[in-house]
Structure formats: C-alpha cells, structure tokens
Amino acid sequence: MEEFISDAFIYHPWPSSSACEQAKFRQGQYSELQTEEIPLDIAIQLHIKAYAFLEKSEVYFKARDVFRTIESSDYSKRHTTRLHKKSLKALGLTLESYNSYFRFLPAACYILIALHSGMRISEMGSLANNAYYESEFRGEIYGWLKGKTYKTGERNTEWM
C-alpha cells in the first residue's frame, strides 16, 4: 500500500513494537475492538477546513492544465519555467502555493470522504476509476462508492 501513498512513512513508527501492541490488542479480541469516534467539535473543524481547501480547486486545476499544455510544447526548460511562472501569476498563484496545494490535496479529500462515509484509508486505497455512482430512492439522489473492506475480512462493499 505504501507505494501508492506520496507521504508514506520512511521508517517504522514503532521500531520495537507493532500497531496491535500500540492498540493494546490481544489475540481473540476482535469483537471488543472499535475505532474511536472523532469528537464532533474537531470533526466540524476538519470538515470546514478541508471543504474550504477544496473550494479553491478550480484555479489550481486550471493551472495544472496550462502546465500540461506548456509541457507538451517543444520549449526549452528555461522557457517552460518562465511560462509556468507567468501563467501562475495570471491566475493569482505562486509556484509555492501551487505545489503546496497539490501536496495537501490528498489529505483534504481523505478527510471529507472519511468524515462522510466512515471509510478507512485502506478502503479508500481499494477505490478504482469509476468507483462512484448515484442512485435514486423516493425522489432523493444518493452517491455511492464501490470498493473493498478489509477489517473483518476482504470483501466488496459500498459506502454512501
């Protein structure tokens, strides 16, 4: 899984222990384990920050599209860099803000998906292209994600 995560641990977080030991897990204890809920006040703040972050997406993806167009041309590296900076400035961005945005984008997405669906990071890792679909029930539209769950044995599942 770590090979798909851009900010994966580069060293083991508990070199002389394990995740099970850190959670005070004992063999045969599965039925007693529950993931603690995030306190509501903290969940609200996480949601507000992540949502506000994602609301800025349009300008950053527009910049990314401009970058791709520039990079598909046969410009020198120096000229490409100059065009990148010029296009960012026209959009009111800096190279630092652009890079920072795409570095934090996965975390903001994870926060919103986790808060609204209850999915774990391993389950999000099981999502593939076209995992999202909508269905209608009694005049309401519901969004669904299809993937796999692993906590109680690997199986296909869906989250609303």
Side-chain angles (χ1 to χ4, degrees):
M1 182 74 162
E2 290 83 13
E3 67 267 18
F4 301 111
I5 301 172
S6 61
D7 59 350
F9 288 118
I10 55 173
Y11 59 90
H12 194 288
W14 313 288
S16 60
S17 185
S18 69
C20 289
E21 188 174 313
Q22 292 296 311
K24 301 191 181 359
F25 172 76
R26 288 177 304 282
Q27 193 68 27
Q29 190 182 25
Y30 285 112
S31 61
E32 300 170 26
L33 294 178
Q34 284 192 341
T35 305
E36 284 187 47
E37 288 185 17
I38 298 172
L40 185 58
D41 59 329
I42 294 173
I44 289 169
Q45 288 303 309
L46 284 168
H47 181 277
I48 289 168
K49 298 279 187 189
Y51 190 82
F53 183 88
L54 291 176
E55 281 191 312
K56 300 183 279 183
S57 292
E58 187 175 345
V59 70
Y60 288 97
F61 280 96
K62 185 181 283 188
R64 187 195 63 182
D65 292 343
V66 170
F67 276 24
R68 287 181 175 168
T69 301
I70 292 168
E71 289 162 3
S72 69
S73 302
D74 196 21
Y75 297 123
S76 69
K77 177 126 173 100
R78 201 169 115 196
H79 188 62
T80 299
T81 302
R82 205 172 347 171
L83 289 173
H84 281 173
K85 288 180 181 178
K86 185 177 179 181
S87 63
L88 285 171
K89 187 175 183 180
L91 292 168
L93 303 173
T94 65
L95 188 56
E96 183 180 301
S97 69
Y98 176 84
N99 289 333
S100 178
Y101 181 83
F102 283 101
R103 192 171 51 252
F104 290 112
L105 180 63
C109 292
Y110 170 75
I111 288 167
L112 289 176
I113 292 170
L115 286 174
H116 289 278
S117 71
M119 291 176 77
R120 294 172 178 78
I121 190 77
S122 61
E123 295 164 338
M124 282 186 216
S126 79
L127 299 177
N129 287 339
N130 302 315
Y132 178 79
Y133 73 96
E134 294 178 346
S135 66
E136 184 179 342
F137 181 72
R138 296 184 181 166
E140 295 288 329
I141 302 294
Y142 294 90
W144 296 90
L145 289 168
K146 296 184 288 187
K148 293 185 185 298
T149 188
Y150 303 98
K151 186 172 181 181
T152 58
E154 183 177 332
R155 68 181 191 284
N156 292 330
T157 192
E158 298 179 355
W159 296 268
M160 185 172 17

PDB file of all heavy atoms in Angstrom, residues 74-87:
ATOM      1  N   ASP A  74       7.414  22.076 -27.448  1.00  0.00           N
ATOM      2  CA  ASP A  74       8.847  21.788 -27.504  1.00  0.00           C
ATOM      3  C   ASP A  74       9.670  23.009 -27.093  1.00  0.00           C
ATOM      4  O   ASP A  74      10.490  23.509 -27.841  1.00  0.00           O
ATOM      5  CB  ASP A  74       9.220  21.336 -28.920  1.00  0.00           C
ATOM      6  CG  ASP A  74      10.576  20.660 -28.976  1.00  0.00           C
ATOM      7  OD1 ASP A  74      11.040  20.186 -27.918  1.00  0.00           O
ATOM      8  OD2 ASP A  74      11.160  20.624 -30.070  1.00  0.00           O
ATOM      9  N   TYR A  75       9.432  23.505 -25.859  1.00  0.00           N
ATOM     10  CA  TYR A  75      10.170  24.650 -25.348  1.00  0.00           C
ATOM     11  C   TYR A  75      11.379  24.174 -24.559  1.00  0.00           C
ATOM     12  O   TYR A  75      11.401  23.065 -24.038  1.00  0.00           O
ATOM     13  CB  TYR A  75       9.293  25.492 -24.409  1.00  0.00           C
ATOM     14  CG  TYR A  75       8.080  26.109 -25.050  1.00  0.00           C
ATOM     15  CD1 TYR A  75       6.814  25.853 -24.550  1.00  0.00           C
ATOM     16  CD2 TYR A  75       8.205  26.964 -26.146  1.00  0.00           C
ATOM     17  CE1 TYR A  75       5.692  26.430 -25.115  1.00  0.00           C
ATOM     18  CE2 TYR A  75       7.085  27.541 -26.726  1.00  0.00           C
ATOM     19  CZ  TYR A  75       5.833  27.274 -26.203  1.00  0.00           C
ATOM     20  OH  TYR A  75       4.727  27.838 -26.775  1.00  0.00           O
ATOM     21  N   SER A  76      12.345  25.087 -24.439  1.00  0.00           N
ATOM     22  CA  SER A  76      13.495  24.785 -23.579  1.00  0.00           C
ATOM     23  C   SER A  76      13.027  24.764 -22.130  1.00  0.00           C
ATOM     24  O   SER A  76      11.978  25.320 -21.790  1.00  0.00           O
ATOM     25  CB  SER A  76      14.588  25.843 -23.752  1.00  0.00           C
ATOM     26  OG  SER A  76      14.139  27.076 -23.202  1.00  0.00           O
ATOM     27  N   LYS A  77      13.805  24.130 -21.268  1.00  0.00           N
ATOM     28  CA  LYS A  77      13.461  24.050 -19.843  1.00  0.00           C
ATOM     29  C   LYS A  77      13.309  25.452 -19.248  1.00  0.00           C
ATOM     30  O   LYS A  77      12.385  25.726 -18.502  1.00  0.00           O
ATOM     31  CB  LYS A  77      14.523  23.254 -19.084  1.00  0.00           C
ATOM     32  CG  LYS A  77      14.287  23.178 -17.598  1.00  0.00           C
ATOM     33  CD  LYS A  77      14.274  21.760 -17.148  1.00  0.00           C
ATOM     34  CE  LYS A  77      14.219  21.663 -15.645  1.00  0.00           C
ATOM     35  NZ  LYS A  77      12.901  21.398 -15.151  1.00  0.00           N
ATOM     36  N   ARG A  78      14.230  26.349 -19.611  1.00  0.00           N
ATOM     37  CA  ARG A  78      14.185  27.713 -19.088  1.00  0.00           C
ATOM     38  C   ARG A  78      12.926  28.454 -19.545  1.00  0.00           C
ATOM     39  O   ARG A  78      12.257  29.122 -18.748  1.00  0.00           O
ATOM     40  CB  ARG A  78      15.441  28.458 -19.532  1.00  0.00           C
ATOM     41  CG  ARG A  78      15.733  29.650 -18.670  1.00  0.00           C
ATOM     42  CD  ARG A  78      17.102  30.181 -18.967  1.00  0.00           C
ATOM     43  NE  ARG A  78      16.906  31.506 -19.538  1.00  0.00           N
ATOM     44  CZ  ARG A  78      17.795  32.177 -20.199  1.00  0.00           C
ATOM     45  NH1 ARG A  78      18.972  31.668 -20.421  1.00  0.00           N
ATOM     46  NH2 ARG A  78      17.540  33.370 -20.654  1.00  0.00           N
ATOM     47  N   HIS A  79      12.586  28.301 -20.808  1.00  0.00           N
ATOM     48  CA  HIS A  79      11.397  28.969 -21.338  1.00  0.00           C
ATOM     49  C   HIS A  79      10.129  28.366 -20.716  1.00  0.00           C
ATOM     50  O   HIS A  79       9.184  29.089 -20.405  1.00  0.00           O
ATOM     51  CB  HIS A  79      11.354  28.866 -22.864  1.00  0.00           C
ATOM     52  CG  HIS A  79      10.281  29.691 -23.493  1.00  0.00           C
ATOM     53  ND1 HIS A  79      10.251  31.065 -23.384  1.00  0.00           N
ATOM     54  CD2 HIS A  79       9.189  29.335 -24.212  1.00  0.00           C
ATOM     55  CE1 HIS A  79       9.180  31.522 -24.020  1.00  0.00           C
ATOM     56  NE2 HIS A  79       8.520  30.491 -24.532  1.00  0.00           N
ATOM     57  N   THR A  80      10.116  27.050 -20.524  1.00  0.00           N
ATOM     58  CA  THR A  80       8.976  26.373 -19.887  1.00  0.00           C
ATOM     59  C   THR A  80       8.774  26.915 -18.477  1.00  0.00           C
ATOM     60  O   THR A  80       7.646  27.236 -18.082  1.00  0.00           O
ATOM     61  CB  THR A  80       9.201  24.847 -19.845  1.00  0.00           C
ATOM     62  OG1 THR A  80       9.311  24.374 -21.179  1.00  0.00           O
ATOM     63  CG2 THR A  80       8.066  24.127 -19.151  1.00  0.00           C
ATOM     64  N   THR A  81       9.848  27.048 -17.711  1.00  0.00           N
ATOM     65  CA  THR A  81       9.764  27.570 -16.342  1.00  0.00           C
ATOM     66  C   THR A  81       9.222  28.987 -16.352  1.00  0.00           C
ATOM     67  O   THR A  81       8.370  29.342 -15.525  1.00  0.00           O
ATOM     68  CB  THR A  81      11.151  27.535 -15.661  1.00  0.00           C
ATOM     69  OG1 THR A  81      11.611  26.180 -15.668  1.00  0.00           O
ATOM     70  CG2 THR A  81      11.097  28.053 -14.243  1.00  0.00           C
ATOM     71  N   ARG A  82       9.697  29.806 -17.265  1.00  0.00           N
ATOM     72  CA  ARG A  82       9.214  31.192 -17.382  1.00  0.00           C
ATOM     73  C   ARG A  82       7.715  31.212 -17.695  1.00  0.00           C
ATOM     74  O   ARG A  82       6.962  31.987 -17.103  1.00  0.00           O
ATOM     75  CB  ARG A  82      10.000  31.903 -18.468  1.00  0.00           C
ATOM     76  CG  ARG A  82      10.053  33.395 -18.304  1.00  0.00           C
ATOM     77  CD  ARG A  82      10.993  34.031 -19.278  1.00  0.00           C
ATOM     78  NE  ARG A  82      11.821  32.988 -19.891  1.00  0.00           N
ATOM     79  CZ  ARG A  82      12.628  33.149 -20.890  1.00  0.00           C
ATOM     80  NH1 ARG A  82      12.767  34.305 -21.417  1.00  0.00           N
ATOM     81  NH2 ARG A  82      13.320  32.167 -21.399  1.00  0.00           N
ATOM     82  N   LEU A  83       7.274  30.365 -18.618  1.00  0.00           N
ATOM     83  CA  LEU A  83       5.851  30.304 -18.966  1.00  0.00           C
ATOM     84  C   LEU A  83       5.009  29.805 -17.783  1.00  0.00           C
ATOM     85  O   LEU A  83       3.897  30.281 -17.560  1.00  0.00           O
ATOM     86  CB  LEU A  83       5.635  29.409 -20.188  1.00  0.00           C
ATOM     87  CG  LEU A  83       6.137  29.969 -21.518  1.00  0.00           C
ATOM     88  CD1 LEU A  83       6.012  28.911 -22.610  1.00  0.00           C
ATOM     89  CD2 LEU A  83       5.359  31.217 -21.893  1.00  0.00           C
ATOM     90  N   HIS A  84       5.528  28.838 -17.028  1.00  0.00           N
ATOM     91  CA  HIS A  84       4.830  28.363 -15.835  1.00  0.00           C
ATOM     92  C   HIS A  84       4.603  29.505 -14.859  1.00  0.00           C
ATOM     93  O   HIS A  84       3.485  29.724 -14.382  1.00  0.00           O
ATOM     94  CB  HIS A  84       5.637  27.267 -15.133  1.00  0.00           C
ATOM     95  CG  HIS A  84       5.526  25.925 -15.768  1.00  0.00           C
ATOM     96  ND1 HIS A  84       6.293  24.868 -15.352  1.00  0.00           N
ATOM     97  CD2 HIS A  84       4.776  25.447 -16.778  1.00  0.00           C
ATOM     98  CE1 HIS A  84       6.008  23.795 -16.076  1.00  0.00           C
ATOM     99  NE2 HIS A  84       5.090  24.133 -16.954  1.00  0.00           N
ATOM    100  N   LYS A  85       5.669  30.232 -14.552  1.00  0.00           N
ATOM    101  CA  LYS A  85       5.574  31.346 -13.594  1.00  0.00           C
ATOM    102  C   LYS A  85       4.617  32.425 -14.093  1.00  0.00           C
ATOM    103  O   LYS A  85       3.822  32.968 -13.326  1.00  0.00           O
ATOM    104  CB  LYS A  85       6.950  31.929 -13.313  1.00  0.00           C
ATOM    105  CG  LYS A  85       7.816  31.011 -12.474  1.00  0.00           C
ATOM    106  CD  LYS A  85       9.178  31.608 -12.215  1.00  0.00           C
ATOM    107  CE  LYS A  85      10.029  30.661 -11.391  1.00  0.00           C
ATOM    108  NZ  LYS A  85      11.378  31.178 -11.155  1.00  0.00           N
ATOM    109  N   LYS A  86       4.675  32.708 -15.390  1.00  0.00           N
ATOM    110  CA  LYS A  86       3.796  33.734 -15.975  1.00  0.00           C
ATOM    111  C   LYS A  86       2.331  33.300 -15.885  1.00  0.00           C
ATOM    112  O   LYS A  86       1.457  34.090 -15.525  1.00  0.00           O
ATOM    113  CB  LYS A  86       4.198  33.985 -17.431  1.00  0.00           C
ATOM    114  CG  LYS A  86       3.451  35.099 -18.094  1.00  0.00           C
ATOM    115  CD  LYS A  86       3.961  35.316 -19.513  1.00  0.00           C
ATOM    116  CE  LYS A  86       3.189  36.429 -20.193  1.00  0.00           C
ATOM    117  NZ  LYS A  86       3.623  36.645 -21.563  1.00  0.00           N
ATOM    118  N   SER A  87       2.058  32.034 -16.189  1.00  0.00           N
ATOM    119  CA  SER A  87       0.671  31.555 -16.131  1.00  0.00           C
ATOM    120  C   SER A  87       0.153  31.514 -14.697  1.00  0.00           C
ATOM    121  O   SER A  87      -1.010  31.825 -14.435  1.00  0.00           O
ATOM    122  CB  SER A  87       0.538  30.186 -16.805  1.00  0.00           C
ATOM    123  OG  SER A  87       1.305  29.221 -16.133  1.00  0.00           O
TER     124      SER A  87
END
